[in-house]
Amino acid sequence: VAVTFTGDSTIGSLGITTNLNVGGISTFTGNIDANGDIDVDGHTNLDNVSVAGVTTFSDNIDLPTDKKILLGDNDKFTIYKSSSPAHAVIENAYSAGSYLYVGSANGVIIGSPLSHGQSMIRGYVNGRSELYFSGSKKFETTNTGASVTGNLAVSGNMNVEGVLTYQDVTNID
């Protein structure tokens, strides 16, 4: 059965006062104004969506490679996966003096994915900062300065203010 509406139409005038079930493809050529909830099951292809208010996702947000999440004024903060070269990118393209802050109540760890558990940099709130090589801590800030594990190679001059202690030294030049 085909029903054609022209101009303003009210479903109530057709005797439909509760539910309208439509099977098959329905095409709307004008605006649709929904003043209640919209429940869509299955795939939905929306070309341009403007959302005012809070949006909640109950699952992953999947974006194709090279498509970006754009945030801030002039889309200068982006998150995306590039195809060439293949990198995951968090980018702050604001002018000089604008920083990218990564924060946590306890500290920040930069490293391999959690499944590999290898740290590169660790920083603790009100505490030490650590640098790692191949998962092994090599440099740590302390309340009195810094601590190095392993050899420290210095190219150029080294100034020591304070006491310098030598152990097992065979040659001092």
Side-chain angles (χ1 to χ4, degrees):
V1 174
V3 177
T4 302
F5 296 98
T6 56
D8 293 337
S9 300
T10 303
I11 298 296
S13 67
L14 299 175
I16 301 171
T17 57
T18 55
N19 296 324
L20 174 64
N21 294 317
V22 178
I25 297 173
S26 300
T27 302
F28 298 88
T29 57
N31 295 336
I32 298 172
D33 186 12
N35 292 310
D37 294 340
I38 298 175
D39 182 9
V40 178
D41 294 325
H43 176 77
T44 304
N45 185 2
L46 303 171
D47 295 329
N48 186 359
V49 178
S50 177
V51 178
V54 175
T55 303
T56 303
F57 297 92
S58 62
D59 205 342
N60 296 329
I61 299 173
D62 294 322
L63 293 176
T65 297
D66 292 320
K67 295 299 180 185
K68 299 178 179 182
I69 296 173
L70 307 172
L71 301 166
D73 300 331
N74 302 314
D75 302 330
K76 290 194 176 206
F77 180 68
T78 58
I79 301 171
Y80 64 100
K81 195 264 181 212
S82 68
S83 59
S84 181
H87 295 300
V89 180
I90 300 173
E91 181 178 25
N92 174 12
Y94 284 98
S95 62
S98 174
Y99 301 98
L100 175 64
Y101 286 89
V102 177
S104 171
N106 297 312
V108 174
I109 298 174
I110 297 174
S112 63
L114 290 176
S115 60
H116 295 88
Q118 192 174 89
S119 296
M120 290 181 265
I121 301 171
R122 288 181 175 216
Y124 299 92
V125 174
N126 298 320
R128 67 192 182 278
S129 296
E130 303 168 346
L131 296 177
Y132 291 75
F133 178 82
S134 191
S136 178
K137 183 169 53 170
K138 297 299 178 185
F139 186 89
E140 177 180 341
T141 61
T142 67
N143 64 338
T144 58
S147 174
V148 176
T149 302
N151 297 327
L152 177 64
V154 178
S155 63
N157 297 327
M158 186 166 106
N159 245 350
V160 177
E161 294 182 18
V163 176
L164 179 60
T165 304
Y166 296 97
Q167 291 179 353
D168 298 327
V169 176
T170 58
N171 185 14
I172 300 175
D173 189 1

